């Protein structure tokens, strides 16, 4: 077994730390009790242990490749992503109103850990889509919501986060990508972005870029940044796929440890301008992007737990296999695997304790997020937002 | 420039820390003054910056491969090794009596750092040969010395160190490889060894394995271990290459960070027994092997300095390229490369200080080795051996 999801420990946390029975009393979470959590986590474990985890090592050896303006993901990724969307995993913690399952983040975050532990490079695609969904849910117009949310939540389309530019890093005050207002209320986007996770790939029909840009005449610095939806393919009025938009991948970069995740360099507007749709109001882009960035920050914390647990499991496996010296307590005659050595056990137990501690913390934080959004009492919601 | 050897800092150390002019007064080191050191280090820098360093990254991506019982090293390694031996680099610090240049380790260690920084995977082959040479020089019979030393010192043949076995790790008390005495004074070797650096490759005509094994009836534990020379090809009386010996590579293993270095699994004696030649006396093998292990330990310390310096150079290069935010002191208008940020400078200076400090320590230790072997006064030699 290359990876075994820690379902038992997760369920213990969900039952006892945030008290899932209390979360299930909040409006909208009525079906989200312990039994649901157990059923979801067991299915999530089955899917990722069987489908995404086995792709992890091979994909690291044969990463995504770039040619022209297209990116081909590692072998098996496209089919695994098809199964991922078919299982409804992308919509797990998103509103039923747009086709999601509407489950608490308390359950969703545990599933996120399993997915990330199984295959971090693969998991980055859904992780970014999650963030794009949260940002649109919070800040976008009803029209943008109607056009994009359902397909992002089903996983038919994926999302990205476009902040960094080559001349400024992620110092957003210096963003130079510009948005030119058009007569029809849309914008034309021009500029270059770097380090865009899953900025181009072949796993979904469309890619929905959330892009920070500056409208002509906007105030200097971060107060003059607006947020735009820039789809890879335009969307027709009936929701069907339209023309190719003027955003193209000019290369992918190597990131240590996530070789199979295509980190794209994107060029907007080299052929007349990329159609962009304003999210919320002009010059409030940074505020909206922070919704996505905070979602990503939490998810990256969960990634840490995920990688730590996968590493722990590998370490235990190796400590059981690797033969070296004899046990100090004489419990084994002759050569022993290193798991018999007290200092090796101490190191393994430290790994395990730190990983389980951080998992408990992540579970508690997810529950606070759920309460901040779903608690029936406004003051309680406000309190949990500060948490 | 992918790597720039720190020749200036090395020469400063050699001149001022161990005082190369004092080393040059020891018998045998008469020609090893500062001018020699400078000429050698500059040529060493030129060779490694131009030949071995450019192979480093590509070889990591396309490591050594194993097929049948042969190993094909990464592209360019064979030609680079040819140039390495042609330049006389293998014999730099070994006795002129056997064709070496007889220079102090004080100079040789600096060259070792350059080679390891340029290409660690490549450097492991000469590193192991150095250790084999030291062990044979100290413990082998005149006949073994005459047969093997000249070709090891020229680099025409390479050396290996065979300790670890799959059932015992490196717990040498449990070595099971056995040596059966033959009527002609040689031995037949039977057993398996793992983790053998450059245990098989295509860069040299012959490979000289130094192998720990147990003679029938030997005392239990480490007091019953003997050391044998087991060449890949037997050597005819006239020094020419003889029959293939019964030692075969059955696989290579992956080691993190040194993918291009073939780490071999070796099987001895599956086809009647591998011819082995006793080094020194029976049951004193561990004592002799420690000569090689200590040489390797020192060389691995130098590797640490080498990798640290290469990493530092990469970090400085990246800090000059990567643009992020503005400098706090206002010294640059608009975006700045991260080397302008005080905390980045602090980190780079910490890397540099630690690297240069360890380089100075390595230089001092190399000089102590030279004094321990070459100081005209016996008591001074003894004092330096304790250092």
């Amino acid at each position: 077994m290359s990876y075994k999801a820690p379902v038992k420990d997760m369920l213990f946390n969900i039952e006892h730390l945030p008290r899932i029975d209390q979360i299930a009393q909040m409006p909208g979470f009525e079906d989200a009790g312990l039994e649901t959590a157990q059923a979801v986590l067991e299915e999530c474990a089955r899917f990722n242990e069987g489908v995404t985890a086995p792709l992890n090592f091979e994909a690291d050896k044969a990463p995504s490749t770039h040619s022209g303006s297209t990116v081909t993901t590692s072998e098996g990724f496209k089919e695994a992503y098809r199964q991922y969307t078919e299982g409804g995993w992308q919509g797990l913690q998103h509103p039923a109103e747009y086709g999601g399952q509407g489950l608490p983040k308390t359950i969703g975050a545990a599933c996120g850990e399993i997915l990330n532990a199984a295959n971090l490079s693969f998991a980055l695609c859904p992780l970014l889509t999650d963030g794009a969904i949260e940002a649109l849910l919070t800040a976008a117009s009803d029209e943008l919501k109607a056009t994009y949310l359902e397909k992002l939540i089903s996983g038919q389309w994926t999302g990205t986060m476009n902040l960094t530019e080559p001349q400024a890093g992620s110092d957003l005050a210096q963003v130079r990508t510009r948005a030119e207002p058009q007569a029809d209320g849309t914008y034309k986007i021009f500029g270059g972005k770097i380090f865009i996770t899953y900025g181009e790939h072949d796993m979904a029909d469309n890619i929905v870029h959330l892009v920070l840009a500056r409208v002509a005449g906007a105030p200097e610095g971060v107060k003059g940044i607006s947020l735009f939806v820039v789809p890879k393919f335009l969307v027709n009025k009936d929701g069907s796929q339209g023309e190719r938009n003027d955003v193209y991948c000019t290369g992918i970069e190597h990131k240590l440890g996530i070789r199979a995740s295509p980190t794209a360099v994107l060029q907007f507007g080299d052929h007349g301008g990329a159609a962009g749709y304003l999210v919320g109001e002009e010059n409030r882009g940074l505020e909206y992007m922070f919704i996505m960035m905070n979602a990503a920050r939490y998810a990256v914390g969960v990634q840490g737990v995920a990688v730590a647990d996968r590493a722990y499991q590998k370490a235990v496996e190796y400590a059981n296999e690797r033969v070296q010296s004899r046990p100090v307590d004489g419990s084994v005659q002759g050569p022993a695997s290193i798991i018999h050595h007290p200092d090796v056990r101490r190191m393994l137990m430290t790994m395990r304790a730190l990983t389980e501690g951080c998992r408990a913390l992540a579970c508690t934080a997810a529950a606070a997020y759920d309460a901040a959004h779903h608690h029936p009492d406004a003051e309680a919601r406000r309190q949990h937002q500060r948490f």
Side-chain angles (χ1 to χ4, degrees), chain A:
Chain A
M1 175 68 72
S2 71
Y3 167 67
K4 182 95 185 73
V7 172
K8 195 178 154 194
D9 189 52
M10 288 171 162
L11 286 173
F12 178 88
N13 287 344
I14 289 171
E15 184 177 359
H16 298 287
L17 292 179
R19 302 266 320 262
I20 191 73
D21 57 348
Q22 291 188 358
I23 292 174
Q25 284 169 20
M26 296 177 192
F29 287 156
E30 292 80 0
D31 299 331
L34 187 61
E35 277 182 32
T36 301
Q38 180 166 353
V40 169
L41 290 188
E42 284 172 356
E43 182 57 21
C44 183
R46 196 196 57 75
F47 170 68
N48 287 293
E49 289 169 4
V51 177
T52 63
L55 299 174
N56 192 46
F57 185 48
E58 291 304 319
D60 184 69
K61 288 192 288 182
S64 300
T65 54
H66 168 257
S67 169
S69 65
T70 66
V71 168
T72 306
T73 51
S74 300
E75 200 177 330
F77 269 38
K78 200 170 169 174
E79 169 59 18
Y81 186 75
R82 193 189 62 73
Q83 292 184 44
Y84 180 83
T85 57
E86 211 167 78
W89 294 109
Q90 186 70 59
L92 198 73
Q93 63 192 28
H94 299 300
E97 184 187 351
Y98 295 102
Q101 298 191 42
L103 289 173
K105 196 164 183 134
T106 306
I107 297 174
C111 292
E113 184 195 319
I114 294 174
L115 178 63
N116 276 284
N119 193 326
L120 186 63
S121 283
F122 179 86
L124 281 164
C125 187
L127 186 156
L128 271 293
T129 303
D130 275 340
I133 292 166
E134 285 195 30
L136 292 178
L137 275 170
T138 312
S141 66
D142 288 343
E143 194 186 339
L144 282 181
K145 285 183 186 170
T147 307
Y148 291 100
L149 275 176
E150 205 170 311
K151 285 185 172 150
L152 284 169
I153 284 173
S154 73
Q156 192 179 337
W157 300 348
T158 66
T160 74
M161 178 163 76
N162 287 243
L163 291 79
T164 307
E165 300 185 0
Q167 84 291 346
S170 52
D171 177 8
L172 300 179
Q174 302 192 71
V175 159
R176 280 199 208 145
T177 297
R178 66 183 210 279
E180 295 183 356
Q182 305 297 302
D184 63 356
T186 68
Y187 294 75
K188 292 262 187 227
I189 311 291
F190 302 88
K193 296 284 185 179
I194 57 173
F195 302 145
I196 309 308
T197 302
Y198 277 89
E200 179 57 51
H201 63 86
D202 57 358
M203 305 190 323
D205 298 339
N206 203 356
I207 302 174
V208 182
H209 304 293
L210 291 194
V211 181
L212 290 185
R214 191 177 291 281
V215 180
E220 296 244 321
V222 293
K223 289 179 178 167
I225 298 173
S226 303
L227 181 64
F228 298 88
V229 166
V230 183
K232 177 179 170 185
F233 287 98
L234 302 181
V235 183
N236 296 324
K237 283 233 174 340
D238 64 358
S240 64
Q241 183 174 304
E243 279 176 40
R244 184 71 166 81
N245 200 3
D246 185 9
V247 47
Y248 291 98
C249 172
T250 58
I252 55 175
E253 291 159 293
H254 174 230
K255 274 193 170 180
L256 196 69
I258 49 166
R259 292 158 54 90
S261 163
T263 304
V265 180
L266 292 182
Q267 199 59 34
F268 296 82
D270 274 7
H271 309 279
Y277 309 94
L278 184 68
V279 177
E281 298 169 24
E282 278 186 8
N283 302 331
R284 291 182 62 188
L286 192 61
E287 176 190 334
Y288 307 145
M289 190 58 107
F290 260 103
I291 301 162
M292 182 160 193
M293 283 163 68
N294 284 337
R297 282 166 172 164
Y298 174 78
V300 168
V302 171
Q303 274 184 349
V305 181
V307 171
D309 190 42
R310 184 87 186 251
Y312 167 72
Q313 293 189 23
K314 284 294 224 189
V316 170
E317 191 184 326
Y318 186 72
N320 272 307
E321 275 171 15
R322 173 75 153 92
V323 170
Q324 174 70 45
S325 304
R326 286 149 292 184
V328 287
D329 63 359
S331 61
V332 175
Q333 288 298 318
S337 61
I338 60 173
I339 204 165
H340 289 91
H341 303 319
D343 200 48
V344 171
R345 284 180 176 265
R346 181 189 58 76
M347 289 188 284
L348 291 172
M349 292 307 284
T350 301
M351 287 176 81
R352 181 170 167 180
L354 289 173
T355 305
E356 292 187 354
C358 288
R359 179 179 295 130
L361 179 66
C363 181
T364 306
Y369 177 96
D370 288 329
H373 287 79
H374 284 258
H375 201 286
D377 179 56
E379 176 56 23
R381 282 203 299 277
R382 209 179 58 77
Q383 286 290 335
H384 279 99
Q385 276 161 8
R386 292 173 52 202
F387 179 77

